[in-house]
Amino acid sequence: MSFEPVGDHSDESRANLHLLHGTLPHEVVCTENLTPFLKLLPCKGKAGISSLLDGHKLFDASWQSMAIDIRPVCPAGDSECLVEMEQTVDMILDIERSKRPRDNPIPRPVPREELVCDTSKEYSSEDTCYPLDASYGQSWSLSEVFGRPIKGTCLVETAQGPDSQSVCINVPADRDVYTSQGVTEFKDASGFSRCFELPITDDFELMLPKQSVQTGSPIYPPPLYAERSITGHGQERGGVQALLTNPSLDTPVEFVYFESLPWFMKPYLHTLKVLLPGEGKQSPSIIKDIYYRPSVDRHRGTQLEIRMVIPAASTVTLTYDFEKAILRYTEYPPDANRGFDVAPAVIRLISSASNTTGSSMYLRTTSLLLPLPTPDFSMPYNVIILTSTVMALAFGSIFNLLVRRFVGADEAEGYDIGKLKTLVRGRLVMIKDRLLGARNEKKLQ
């Protein structure tokens, strides 16, 4: 229910299609993750908007994602079908952080005279400042944010006019935007979007000066809000709670809620509950269909798909309980006490007023961190150290008894007991003379 084939597929090919779904909930980000992505581009990141993709800038963003969508396309009147690939990069950047030079990335405090304060606050004074959000209307350019301009264009086919637009920005109509020479600008009829036709070989620079803008770009609410968390306590059981909110005031939203859980997280399907805050009890009418495939230990995880319809301006709470499995000691990672990452839930919107493209819209929640029963990995080392110490003492004693030869002092070669007696007597006489001399000195005094 969650994933359907996209593109042009014949009836025969649809019967032979198989869905393979894999997840990697946690991965250490490295700049090398971007290299295979850039190699799929026709210009390899050397020209076009992909020339802005620098690994240090991309993975230093507050939030980033990369996606590759592949679909077959069969043009009308053509006997051969093509494979269409779409690559997407999403980034959320902090302008102030991105504008810091790489050789001096330490943030510096803003001078007092440059602070922009909200004077409408009651406590606003010369020594008290509530800073305003300066991100809106702030000055920035491509070279300041990404460290470089766009290196020409990289269109596969030569196009002219609106079809050649390769860079678009969403800004109000009264916002000043400056570009390099030789760039053609196309404004949208709504006044909140501008697109540019880039030169083929020259660099493209985009700069927005600092400006106080009266009107802002329209912000459309998402079709659905989703929040997912782990509940409960202890090392044996727990629970998952998902809050799903429909912000529309007059339109219900239908979607498929999909979860792929690891095998060591065993849900109890009979504890699945769907609650509406106003009713305070279960609402089975919200759930239209359920698909559940149980897990197999160390072979596959649990698959849970729920088709739901949330009424307008409503919030639904989806909860279920699960049991935590105990792993073998060789299955724990080096940072076992950190917990295990659980893949985010995937939500496929079936009907939404904001989806005008006709294709399925997907949302993903945040991943979860699941603590599992973790043994004390220091105990084996303690046992090894204690056992090694006991064995060393026992082996040393037995080895000395077996190898060393015990003889009398008078039987040892080169050993004269008479000299030893003379030496001991001499030492005793010396000590006696010192004691007697000390007593005589005290009497004379």
Side-chain angles (χ1 to χ4, degrees):
M1 293 188 294
S2 300
F3 303 97
E4 291 186 353
V6 179
D8 300 330
H9 298 274
S10 61
D11 296 337
E12 297 179 358
S13 61
R14 283 180 176 270
N16 299 323
L17 291 179
H18 299 275
L19 173 64
L20 300 178
H21 177 73
T23 58
L24 185 61
H26 178 73
E27 181 184 8
V28 178
V29 176
C30 180
T31 56
E32 295 181 357
N33 295 35
L34 184 63
T35 304
F37 187 87
L38 293 178
K39 288 183 177 180
L40 298 175
L41 297 173
C43 297
K44 313 296 182 185
K46 303 297 183 181
I49 195 172
S50 62
S51 60
L52 299 178
L53 295 179
D54 177 67
H56 297 279
K57 291 291 185 179
L58 175 62
F59 297 113
D60 191 53
S62 302
W63 185 88
Q64 58 84 23
S65 69
M66 295 187 297
I68 299 177
D69 297 324
I70 301 176
R71 64 183 69 87
V73 177
C74 299
D78 196 345
S79 59
E80 294 184 358
C81 296
L82 306 176
V83 176
E84 182 183 75
M85 182 176 65
E86 180 182 353
Q87 296 179 243
T88 307
V89 178
D90 296 323
M91 302 170 60
I92 297 179
L93 296 174
D94 184 357
I95 296 179
E96 283 293 338
R97 179 172 180 173
S98 300
K99 290 170 62 175
R100 297 174 194 162
R102 186 180 298 179
D103 55 349
N104 189 16
I106 301 176
R108 308 293 181 183
V110 180
R112 185 169 178 266
E113 57 273 9
E114 296 182 8
L115 286 175
V116 181
C117 305
D118 187 0
T119 57
S120 62
K121 301 294 183 180
E122 297 179 357
Y123 49 80
S124 178
S125 62
E126 294 183 358
D127 57 350
T128 305
C129 176
Y130 184 83
L132 288 172
D133 186 9
S135 60
Y136 197 74
Q138 190 176 4
S139 64
W140 61 272
S141 64
L142 294 179
S143 298
E144 290 178 339
V145 175
F146 296 97
R148 66 188 72 170
I150 296 178
K151 304 293 183 180
T153 183
C154 185
L155 294 177
V156 180
E157 297 181 358
T158 304
Q160 296 180 355
D163 296 336
S164 63
Q165 302 169 7
S166 56
V167 175
C168 298
I169 59 173
N170 295 327
V171 293
D174 55 349
R175 186 75 162 94
D176 294 335
V177 178
Y178 300 103
T179 61
S180 53
Q181 297 181 356
V183 177
T184 306
E185 180 180 356
F186 300 92
K187 290 187 178 181
D188 188 73
S190 62
F192 294 102
S193 178
R194 304 182 193 182
C195 295
F196 304 93
E197 180 182 350
L198 273 62
I200 298 177
T201 57
D202 298 337
D203 294 347
F204 172 74
E205 180 63 84
L206 184 69
M207 184 180 66
L208 281 76
K210 186 175 182 179
Q211 182 182 2
S212 178
V213 183
Q214 302 298 329
T215 59
S217 300
I219 300 177
Y220 302 99
L224 184 71
Y225 291 98
E227 181 182 352
R228 181 165 166 254
S229 59
I230 289 181
T231 61
H233 57 86
Q235 298 292 331
E236 297 181 1
R237 295 178 179 86
V240 173
Q241 174 180 277
L243 299 178
L244 307 170
T245 303
N246 181 11
S248 178
L249 300 178
D250 53 2
T251 306
V253 59
E254 184 178 1
F255 60 91
V256 178
Y257 182 84
F258 171 78
E259 280 197 355
S260 179
L261 305 176
W263 66 267
F264 48 79
M265 187 176 175
K266 304 179 182 298
Y268 296 130
L269 194 60
H270 69 279
T271 62
L272 180 66
K273 298 179 181 178
V274 179
L275 305 175
L276 279 172
E279 298 181 3
K281 60 180 180 179
Q282 294 194 45
S283 301
S285 60
I286 296 178
I287 298 179
K288 302 302 179 182
D289 194 7
I290 295 179
Y291 176 80
Y292 173 74
R293 188 182 69 169
S295 63
V296 178
D297 288 354
R298 297 177 178 84
H299 286 84
R300 74 180 186 195
T302 302
Q303 179 180 350
L304 177 62
E305 293 183 86
I306 306 174
R307 186 166 183 169
M308 308 170 61
V309 177
I310 299 182
S314 301
T315 299
V316 171
T317 303
L318 175 68
T319 61
Y320 62 87
D321 299 334
F322 64 88
E323 182 182 3
K324 303 177 183 179
I326 299 178
L327 307 181
R328 300 168 182 165
Y329 79 96
T330 55
E331 295 174 341
Y332 286 91
D335 54 347
N337 291 297
R338 172 185 173 272
F340 291 77
D341 293 277
V342 180
V346 181
I347 300 175
R348 177 198 170 200
L349 297 174
I350 298 177
S351 62
S352 174
S354 60
N355 186 11
T356 59
T357 60
S359 59
S360 299
M361 181 182 296
Y362 290 92
L363 304 177
R364 283 171 172 81
T365 64
T366 56
S367 59
L368 302 177
L369 194 61
L370 175 66
L372 289 181
T374 306
D376 186 3
F377 290 101
S378 65
M379 288 305 297
Y381 299 100
N382 297 337
V383 173
I384 291 173
I385 293 173
L386 180 60
T387 305
S388 301
T389 304
V390 174
M391 290 182 62
L393 293 174
F395 177 79
S397 302
I398 296 174
F399 183 79
N400 289 335
L401 292 175
L402 295 176
V403 176
R404 287 188 177 183
R405 180 183 176 187
F406 295 91
V407 296
D410 54 348
E411 298 179 3
E413 297 180 0
Y415 187 83
D416 190 357
I417 192 171
K419 293 181 179 180
L420 179 61
K421 292 180 179 180
T422 304
L423 181 62
V424 173
R425 289 175 183 176
R427 295 289 183 182
L428 293 176
V429 171
M430 186 183 299
I431 296 173
K432 181 178 179 182
D433 293 342
R434 289 182 179 179
L435 294 175
L436 292 175
R439 291 179 182 178
N440 294 332
E441 289 179 359
K442 290 182 179 180
K443 288 181 180 181
L444 293 175
Q445 293 177 357

